[in-house]
Amino acid sequence: MVIKQASIRQTGRFIALSISLAIAALVLGGLYIGGGGESALAQEQPPHKFYGSVSLDGNPAPEGTVVAALVNGAVTDSVRVDGSGEYINLLASPPGQAVTFTVGGFLAAEKIVSEMGAITLLNLTASSAGPQDSTPTPAAPAPTATAVPTATPAPAATPTPAPVPTATPVPTATPAPTATPTPVPTATPTPVPTATPAPTPTPTITPTPPPDLLSAFRVGPTVRLRPVNDVISQDKDGIVEVLFRNPALNESSMAVDMTVSLPSGIHIYGEGFATDSGAGAVSGSFQVPPGQSQPINLYIKSEKIGRFTIHFSGVYWPAGNKDLFNPVSLTHSFTVNAPSLDPFSSAPSRPVQALPTRVPTAAPAAPAAPAPAATVAPRTDGDPGASCSLSPDGSAANGAGDMALLALPLLGLAGLAGWQRRRNRP
């Protein structure tokens, strides 16, 4: 008996050791597979992410409704609607492909072209009377079963045979006589008079609405709010880029209404935005035709130093159908290191430029004194001569000066000839 119990214990230890080794192998294999999957995913291109509200038959979709993204008819990802009627983190890849959506198996009206790494707010609308998607929704992966160690069976005890009771005979009951059914009288149907048919109404032809009054977008527009600079100084404004893009596949213009809420002492300027009658808000309205974009730069200035939060909100809808509006929201903080030079000017601030240093100029030299006029002395040899004075600039003092200067050599020759004659006179 002792030998049999020892053998049972050794068998149980061997089974427990085998189960532990199997579980360790499964865990290590899962870690290896999981690491390989992360390496493979790291090499893939980032998918396009979507989020937004979901409506089915004009009402918010019930919680748990499956929302799926399809590329070329194949499901790339699926999520479920939360308690607020919205979905998040719905992925679509690769980029550059047409993406369609289903809500509870019904095809949504919205379509979009996927972009690499983009995050888009896309509100989905579907109708249970519309077409259904034939592609099955991928089922959730089944949980991995955990191996349970098998218990070692205890030796069965030898049962003691119980006494078998003797059955008491039951008396046989006498069958009751069968009752004869009473016939039911047949009712004679009363003839119903034939009603006169009502005249067929003439159908009313409803005119087809123009393109700007269509009920929905074929492809969801793109709305992006991107802070470019969130540090404000004297010569640098805060900048936020706003982009509204209406794809060319749509036949309806995109109507946009934006409002920016500002704290006290903060001012914002941008093309198409104007200050409301109430303090602390600016607003603007835009129309974006199909195939066009509306980029806007918003410049933010401050009167005081600190950190402030600005809220951007608005809606956009197909022109002519405001019931299909979609919300836009962004909250961002800005740091002001120094007040703006001119916070009440709509012109963007420019960097302050240093003034050039002026070099002193030397004083002008005094004009030189004029040279004295030259004077021609009269002749002293007894012959008649001529005299002439020059002005300070060297010109003749009178009209005859130039002639006198020319005649000097002739007069000298004449005087020399006269002196020679007097010398030769006896």
Side-chain angles (χ1 to χ4, degrees), residues 79-339:
V79 295
R80 294 185 180 273
V81 177
D82 57 17
S84 60
E86 298 181 348
Y87 73 99
I88 58 174
N89 289 337
L90 184 61
L91 309 180
S93 61
Q97 302 294 324
V99 184
T100 58
F101 303 88
T102 59
V103 177
F106 298 100
L107 192 63
E110 289 73 19
K111 299 178 182 178
I112 196 170
V113 177
S114 60
E115 300 179 11
M116 182 175 63
I119 301 176
T120 303
L121 168 63
L122 184 61
N123 298 327
L124 302 178
T125 57
S127 172
S128 59
Q132 296 187 10
D133 178 37
S134 59
T135 304
T137 302
T144 305
T146 304
V148 179
T150 305
T152 304
T158 305
T160 303
V164 179
T166 304
T168 304
V170 180
T172 304
T174 304
T178 304
T180 304
T182 305
V184 180
T186 303
T188 304
T190 304
V192 179
T194 305
T196 303
T200 304
T202 303
T204 304
I205 300 176
T206 304
T208 303
D212 284 346
L213 300 181
L214 294 177
S215 59
F217 293 119
R218 289 186 177 180
V219 180
T222 300
V223 179
R224 290 182 179 174
L225 301 175
R226 185 172 72 93
V228 177
N229 179 43
D230 52 10
V231 178
I232 301 175
S233 59
Q234 286 187 348
D235 56 356
K236 184 182 295 184
D237 301 337
I239 302 176
V240 175
E241 289 183 354
V242 184
L243 174 64
F244 305 101
R245 185 175 64 187
N246 190 3
L249 291 178
N250 293 331
E251 296 182 357
S252 300
S253 295
M254 176 185 179
V256 183
D257 189 5
M258 287 287 296
T259 300
V260 185
S261 301
L262 306 172
S264 175
I266 303 298
H267 305 271
I268 189 168
Y269 305 97
E271 182 181 356
F273 281 82
T275 304
D276 288 344
S277 58
V282 296
S283 61
S285 298
F286 311 94
Q287 287 274 351
V288 184
Q292 296 188 18
S293 300
Q294 178 71 41
I296 299 172
N297 287 334
L298 299 179
Y299 297 92
I300 303 171
K301 299 185 178 183
S302 176
E303 302 179 34
K304 52 189 178 181
I305 298 175
R307 187 172 180 84
F308 308 95
T309 301
I310 300 177
H311 181 65
F312 302 82
S313 61
V315 291
Y316 66 92
W317 65 91
N321 194 338
K322 296 183 178 181
D323 293 335
L324 298 179
F325 69 91
N326 295 275
V328 179
S329 179
L330 172 68
T331 300
H332 194 74
S333 298
F334 291 83
T335 301
V336 182
N337 293 332

Side-chain angles (χ1 to χ4, degrees), residues 379 381 383-386 402-418:
R379 294 179 61 85
D381 55 359
D383 293 334
D402 294 339
M403 296 300 298
L405 291 175
L406 296 175
L408 283 177
L410 299 178
L411 292 176
L413 292 176
L416 182 59

